[in-house]
Amino acid sequence: MLPGIGPAPGRVPRLMLWSAADPAEEEALRASLRRWIKARGDRGFDGVADAWGAPADGPARGALVAAGATEALAALDGLRPGALRGAAAGPDPVALLLPGQGAQHPRMAHGLYGVEPVFTEAVDEVLGLLGADGPAARADWLSETPRLPLDDVRRTLPLVFAVDWALGRLLHSWGVRPAVLLGQGIGEQAAAALAEVMRLADAVDVVREQADWLARTPEGGMLAVAAGPDTVRRLLTAGVTVAAVNGPDQTLLAGETRQLADSTRALALAGLTAMKVRAGAAYHSPVVASACRRAAEVYRRIDLRVPAVPLYSATTGGPLPAELAVDPEFWAGQPSRPVRLESALNALFATGPHLCVECGPGQGLNALVRRHPRARGGAVSLLSARPRNAEHDRRSALTAAARLWTAGHEIDLTAVHRLG
């Protein structure tokens, strides 16, 4: 455990899982657990959690995440969220969703760092591959007052990549094997690394080079508008383009700062509100095309392979063909091309239900999944949308494990219980 980064004072959340042959037996197990917790109270709660043991492999499943007896009893009684129930028959395949720039926030996932060894090692591996900039990136990530703000492209890209990658490795350590990976922005490159399209060292090398070149592009940013792309396009001023279509009425714009201000006024006159996105560059627009051409030189030097796990691309709007997966020009140009996330989700859900697991900071991608008319498999996020402290990060990860278990997926309890 690293100094100053361990568990917050007080109780840490604990995970308890159970299963039974049928709902009636599961209900009896819940009642037994409730009596056991009530008899031992808060002082004996950790002992109950330690002694609860490995669950049987029955189809009726339950799970509980709580930091003490009072919270656990309230959850079991249905007074507070925390106790989950589900059926294990025929679990839906997992689709891993990896967010990109815009999802970052101060100290994202820091509650797992120095506590969960797989996550910590994976983050340290990425930061180590950044070379001389690694220690500064780590310090800014964990600081309340970073020297270089997280919205600066030189911090956003490597740190979001690192968190996405590390959470993917954490899930792998739990025994979760995704059927599909879908990334957005820098998350698409993290997905490619997890799918073994490129070695981690090569992926980090490219991320570092891209961040350096993107930092030199004209000052720009992105806007979110609650309207469809056809409605928005006719109101845009020169130099501003549609950068992403995330849903029927969820459009992102990108451009240089002055042009974005002009478009904001034009949209306001039409009764549309544009909100700034946490982006330090005009991603997914022609403004950054020259930086992408320079980064192409790095991609041409690395070995690109056909993905070991199917990739869906927010750039192509569907499954990523093998010939594009090994095309350096595709990967180099990805930050300058519009994002077609809505189309990618449409293509994914057309193949059947998937349990979507958001594997990165925030819950922005799963918010889109929950609103999607064809999403039937549910959505799980490893991190909270608004984490309050380090304990909250651990609780969010344990709750994700509970959701996976009650959805019918097998998880490695030894690995999960490192968190509680």
Side-chain angles (χ1 to χ4, degrees), residues 122-147:
V123 170
D124 283 345
E125 187 175 14
V126 173
L127 296 179
L129 290 168
L130 289 175
D133 196 41
R138 180 188 288 104
D140 283 344
W141 169 44
L142 298 173
S143 174
E144 296 283 2
T145 55
R147 181 187 63 82

Side-chain angles (χ1 to χ4, degrees), residues 3 6 9 26 54 81 98 170 185 191-192 201 208 244 264 284 290 311 321 328 351-352 414:
E26 187 272 335
L98 295 106
L170 176 61
R208 184 179 63 247
T264 300
H284 305 295
S290 62
L311 286 178
T351 67
T414 301

Side-chain angles (χ1 to χ4, degrees), residues 94-113:
V94 168
L96 214 60
L97 308 184
L98 295 106
Q101 52 274 15
Q104 73 276 3
H105 59 79
R107 309 191 79 190
M108 52 189 174
H110 82 285
L112 304 181
Y113 188 68

Side-chain angles (χ1 to χ4, degrees), residues 222-227 246 250-253 267 273-277:
M222 303 181 76
L223 300 173
V225 186
N246 292 338
Q250 299 171 68
T251 303
L252 296 184
L253 310 176
L267 290 163
T273 301
M275 297 181 60
K276 287 186 177 180
V277 175

Side-chain angles (χ1 to χ4, degrees), residues 33-298:
L33 176 61
R34 190 189 187 286
R35 288 193 296 271
W36 203 7
I37 292 174
K38 186 174 182 180
R40 285 156 180 80
D42 278 327
R43 286 190 176 185
F45 179 73
D46 286 340
V48 174
D50 290 338
W52 188 241
D57 188 18
R61 296 184 169 198
L64 172 68
V65 177
T70 302
E71 181 185 9
L73 293 172
L76 288 167
D77 291 341
L79 303 177
R80 292 185 57 185
L84 305 169
R85 303 171 79 180
D92 293 324
V94 168
L96 214 60
L97 308 184
L98 295 106
Q101 52 274 15
Q104 73 276 3
H105 59 79
R107 309 191 79 190
M108 52 189 174
H110 82 285
L112 304 181
Y113 188 68
V115 174
E116 210 301 318
V118 171
F119 178 86
T120 302
E121 181 180 347
V123 170
D124 283 345
E125 187 175 14
V126 173
L127 296 179
L129 290 168
L130 289 175
D133 196 41
R138 180 188 288 104
D140 283 344
W141 169 44
L142 298 173
S143 174
E144 296 283 2
T145 55
R147 181 187 63 82
L148 200 61
L150 259 62
D151 294 347
D152 187 295
V153 65
R154 292 165 292 178
R155 287 289 176 265
T156 302
L157 295 194
L159 287 177
V160 171
F161 178 93
V163 170
D164 284 4
W165 163 265
L167 289 175
R169 297 305 301 163
L170 176 61
L171 273 178
H172 189 275
S173 77
W174 289 357
V176 177
R177 301 294 183 265
V180 174
L181 293 100
L182 168 60
Q184 180 185 34
I186 196 63
E188 192 159 344
Q189 289 168 291
L194 288 167
E196 301 177 15
V197 170
M198 57 189 86
R199 296 187 310 117
L200 178 64
D202 290 334
V204 174
D205 194 29
V206 169
V207 169
R208 184 179 63 247
E209 289 283 342
Q210 276 187 336
D212 185 48
W213 288 113
L214 286 168
R216 306 180 196 187
T217 59
E219 183 180 345
M222 303 181 76
L223 300 173
V225 186
D230 293 337
T231 299
V232 170
R233 278 192 185 96
R234 60 185 176 83
L235 300 170
L236 300 182
T237 55
V240 176
T241 59
V242 171
V245 180
N246 292 338
D249 294 308
Q250 299 171 68
T251 303
L252 296 184
L253 310 176
E256 295 184 34
T257 302
R258 183 174 58 81
Q259 285 86 351
L260 280 177
D262 292 340
S263 286
T264 300
R265 287 189 288 270
L267 290 163
L269 289 173
L272 298 174
T273 301
M275 297 181 60
K276 287 186 177 180
V277 175
R278 297 190 64 176
Y283 299 111
H284 305 295
S285 79
V287 175
V288 300
S290 62
C292 292
R293 284 193 293 272
R294 291 181 180 274
E297 300 171 9
V298 185

